[in-house]
Amino acid sequence: MTTVPCWARVCLPLAPYADGYRAELERLGYTPLTAAAHVRLMAHLSRWLAREGLETSELTPATVDTYFVYRRAAGYVNERTARALRPLVGYLQHLGVVSAWVPAAATTRWSSYWSAIATTSPLSEDWPKRRSR
């Protein structure tokens, strides 16, 4: 028996990126159910951004932190930390929609780690060249 995922409808401001994000998750090997969960989180974030009067370009570590305070207070038990948004933020950064930033919780100890992730991510421009070595 196959379970069919429920794909959320993403409203503005993130709506223009929803189909591409879904395709990127598929390309990266996410299962349909996991990809659908990421798109549902994207839809929820987009509704919150719209309610707050924020544009996609205003997605910053502080904005993400505020969103997750709201999400936890609303009683959500899944996807309750900024880590859940890493795939989406990475995708939006790759498109140049949001600027690159290190998560707010990162310390100096982790700065080199996040820099390495930014350059070795499958979303980085030269990753396929490095991977084929």
mmCIF file of all heavy atoms in Angstrom, residues 51-69:
data_model
loop_
_atom_site.group_PDB
_atom_site.id
_atom_site.type_symbol
_atom_site.label_atom_id
_atom_site.label_comp_id
_atom_site.label_asym_id
_atom_site.label_seq_id
_atom_site.Cartn_x
_atom_site.Cartn_y
_atom_site.Cartn_z
ATOM 1 N N ARG A 51 1.076 37.468 7.441
ATOM 2 C CA ARG A 51 0.395 38.091 8.597
ATOM 3 C C ARG A 51 1.255 39.165 9.241
ATOM 4 O O ARG A 51 0.738 40.174 9.719
ATOM 5 C CB ARG A 51 0.051 37.034 9.644
ATOM 6 C CG ARG A 51 -1.349 36.536 9.580
ATOM 7 C CD ARG A 51 -1.769 35.752 10.807
ATOM 8 N NE ARG A 51 -0.814 34.758 11.252
ATOM 9 C CZ ARG A 51 -0.722 33.512 10.796
ATOM 10 N NH1 ARG A 51 -1.540 33.103 9.858
ATOM 11 N NH2 ARG A 51 0.165 32.680 11.270
ATOM 12 N N GLU A 52 2.567 38.937 9.251
ATOM 13 C CA GLU A 52 3.486 39.901 9.860
ATOM 14 C C GLU A 52 3.846 41.037 8.914
ATOM 15 O O GLU A 52 4.546 41.972 9.301
ATOM 16 C CB GLU A 52 4.771 39.189 10.309
ATOM 17 C CG GLU A 52 4.564 38.163 11.398
ATOM 18 C CD GLU A 52 4.060 38.769 12.698
ATOM 19 O OE1 GLU A 52 4.646 39.782 13.142
ATOM 20 O OE2 GLU A 52 3.085 38.250 13.266
ATOM 21 N N GLY A 53 3.392 40.959 7.658
ATOM 22 C CA GLY A 53 3.695 41.994 6.666
ATOM 23 C C GLY A 53 5.140 41.955 6.199
ATOM 24 O O GLY A 53 5.698 42.989 5.824
ATOM 25 N N LEU A 54 5.746 40.760 6.175
ATOM 26 C CA LEU A 54 7.145 40.608 5.799
ATOM 27 C C LEU A 54 7.275 39.986 4.418
ATOM 28 O O LEU A 54 6.464 39.159 4.016
ATOM 29 C CB LEU A 54 7.884 39.733 6.817
ATOM 30 C CG LEU A 54 7.910 40.258 8.256
ATOM 31 C CD1 LEU A 54 8.471 39.200 9.197
ATOM 32 C CD2 LEU A 54 8.725 41.539 8.329
ATOM 33 N N GLU A 55 8.320 40.387 3.716
ATOM 34 C CA GLU A 55 8.638 39.811 2.413
ATOM 35 C C GLU A 55 9.651 38.683 2.584
ATOM 36 O O GLU A 55 10.307 38.584 3.620
ATOM 37 C CB GLU A 55 9.224 40.894 1.494
ATOM 38 C CG GLU A 55 8.257 41.999 1.156
ATOM 39 C CD GLU A 55 7.066 41.496 0.360
ATOM 40 O OE1 GLU A 55 7.252 40.605 -0.498
ATOM 41 O OE2 GLU A 55 5.956 41.987 0.591
ATOM 42 N N THR A 56 9.810 37.877 1.563
ATOM 43 C CA THR A 56 10.763 36.770 1.607
ATOM 44 C C THR A 56 12.174 37.266 1.899
ATOM 45 O O THR A 56 12.912 36.649 2.667
ATOM 46 C CB THR A 56 10.748 35.996 0.277
ATOM 47 O OG1 THR A 56 9.417 35.581 0.010
ATOM 48 C CG2 THR A 56 11.657 34.783 0.339
ATOM 49 N N SER A 57 12.557 38.388 1.335
ATOM 50 C CA SER A 57 13.908 38.934 1.531
ATOM 51 C C SER A 57 14.174 39.316 2.991
ATOM 52 O O SER A 57 15.326 39.502 3.374
ATOM 53 C CB SER A 57 14.132 40.144 0.628
ATOM 54 O OG SER A 57 13.196 41.162 0.943
ATOM 55 N N GLU A 58 13.128 39.426 3.791
ATOM 56 C CA GLU A 58 13.282 39.779 5.200
ATOM 57 C C GLU A 58 13.448 38.551 6.100
ATOM 58 O O GLU A 58 13.426 38.673 7.321
ATOM 59 C CB GLU A 58 12.091 40.620 5.657
ATOM 60 C CG GLU A 58 12.007 41.960 4.925
ATOM 61 C CD GLU A 58 10.759 42.739 5.279
ATOM 62 O OE1 GLU A 58 9.715 42.474 4.650
ATOM 63 O OE2 GLU A 58 10.848 43.595 6.185
ATOM 64 N N LEU A 59 13.636 37.395 5.491
ATOM 65 C CA LEU A 59 13.858 36.168 6.243
ATOM 66 C C LEU A 59 15.304 36.181 6.750
ATOM 67 O O LEU A 59 16.250 36.021 5.994
ATOM 68 C CB LEU A 59 13.607 34.957 5.344
ATOM 69 C CG LEU A 59 13.412 33.614 6.004
ATOM 70 C CD1 LEU A 59 12.257 33.642 6.986
ATOM 71 C CD2 LEU A 59 13.159 32.552 4.949
ATOM 72 N N THR A 60 15.454 36.416 8.034
ATOM 73 C CA THR A 60 16.759 36.515 8.690
ATOM 74 C C THR A 60 16.770 35.575 9.888
ATOM 75 O O THR A 60 15.716 35.044 10.265
ATOM 76 C CB THR A 60 17.004 37.946 9.199
ATOM 77 O OG1 THR A 60 16.025 38.233 10.211
ATOM 78 C CG2 THR A 60 16.915 38.977 8.079
ATOM 79 N N PRO A 61 17.920 35.362 10.506
ATOM 80 C CA PRO A 61 17.936 34.528 11.710
ATOM 81 C C PRO A 61 16.963 35.027 12.782
ATOM 82 O O PRO A 61 16.273 34.228 13.414
ATOM 83 C CB PRO A 61 19.388 34.611 12.185
ATOM 84 C CG PRO A 61 20.168 34.857 10.942
ATOM 85 C CD PRO A 61 19.279 35.755 10.112
ATOM 86 N N ALA A 62 16.885 36.337 12.962
ATOM 87 C CA ALA A 62 15.974 36.889 13.970
ATOM 88 C C ALA A 62 14.516 36.615 13.598
ATOM 89 O O ALA A 62 13.694 36.274 14.457
ATOM 90 C CB ALA A 62 16.209 38.390 14.129
ATOM 91 N N THR A 63 14.189 36.751 12.317
ATOM 92 C CA THR A 63 12.834 36.475 11.852
ATOM 93 C C THR A 63 12.484 35.004 12.068
ATOM 94 O O THR A 63 11.387 34.667 12.531
ATOM 95 C CB THR A 63 12.689 36.824 10.357
ATOM 96 O OG1 THR A 63 13.116 38.161 10.144
ATOM 97 C CG2 THR A 63 11.258 36.669 9.886
ATOM 98 N N VAL A 64 13.424 34.127 11.745
ATOM 99 C CA VAL A 64 13.213 32.689 11.919
ATOM 100 C C VAL A 64 13.001 32.362 13.398
ATOM 101 O O VAL A 64 12.100 31.602 13.748
ATOM 102 C CB VAL A 64 14.390 31.885 11.324
ATOM 103 C CG1 VAL A 64 14.340 30.428 11.746
ATOM 104 C CG2 VAL A 64 14.382 32.004 9.805
ATOM 105 N N ASP A 65 13.816 32.956 14.263
ATOM 106 C CA ASP A 65 13.654 32.723 15.704
ATOM 107 C C ASP A 65 12.277 33.159 16.174
ATOM 108 O O ASP A 65 11.608 32.448 16.931
ATOM 109 C CB ASP A 65 14.736 33.456 16.496
ATOM 110 C CG ASP A 65 16.108 32.831 16.334
ATOM 111 O OD1 ASP A 65 16.208 31.677 15.855
ATOM 112 O OD2 ASP A 65 17.097 33.507 16.678
ATOM 113 N N THR A 66 11.832 34.330 15.719
ATOM 114 C CA THR A 66 10.514 34.840 16.098
ATOM 115 C C THR A 66 9.408 33.912 15.583
ATOM 116 O O THR A 66 8.443 33.629 16.303
ATOM 117 C CB THR A 66 10.309 36.265 15.553
ATOM 118 O OG1 THR A 66 11.362 37.098 16.045
ATOM 119 C CG2 THR A 66 8.966 36.836 15.971
ATOM 120 N N TYR A 67 9.570 33.429 14.366
ATOM 121 C CA TYR A 67 8.589 32.497 13.796
ATOM 122 C C TYR A 67 8.470 31.240 14.655
ATOM 123 O O TYR A 67 7.359 30.786 14.946
ATOM 124 C CB TYR A 67 8.975 32.134 12.355
ATOM 125 C CG TYR A 67 8.213 30.948 11.813
ATOM 126 C CD1 TYR A 67 6.852 31.035 11.548
ATOM 127 C CD2 TYR A 67 8.854 29.733 11.581
ATOM 128 C CE1 TYR A 67 6.141 29.947 11.065
ATOM 129 C CE2 TYR A 67 8.154 28.640 11.100
ATOM 130 C CZ TYR A 67 6.802 28.751 10.845
ATOM 131 O OH TYR A 67 6.103 27.672 10.366
ATOM 132 N N PHE A 68 9.586 30.697 15.081
ATOM 133 C CA PHE A 68 9.516 29.456 15.854
ATOM 134 C C PHE A 68 9.011 29.682 17.279
ATOM 135 O O PHE A 68 8.413 28.779 17.861
ATOM 136 C CB PHE A 68 10.836 28.689 15.807
ATOM 137 C CG PHE A 68 10.985 27.927 14.516
ATOM 138 C CD1 PHE A 68 11.859 28.350 13.539
ATOM 139 C CD2 PHE A 68 10.205 26.811 14.274
ATOM 140 C CE1 PHE A 68 11.968 27.660 12.344
ATOM 141 C CE2 PHE A 68 10.295 26.111 13.078
ATOM 142 C CZ PHE A 68 11.186 26.538 12.108
ATOM 143 N N VAL A 69 9.204 30.870 17.821
ATOM 144 C CA VAL A 69 8.565 31.190 19.106
ATOM 145 C C VAL A 69 7.053 31.135 18.911
ATOM 146 O O VAL A 69 6.330 30.536 19.710
ATOM 147 C CB VAL A 69 9.021 32.572 19.626
ATOM 148 C CG1 VAL A 69 8.137 33.053 20.763
ATOM 149 C CG2 VAL A 69 10.486 32.525 20.060
#
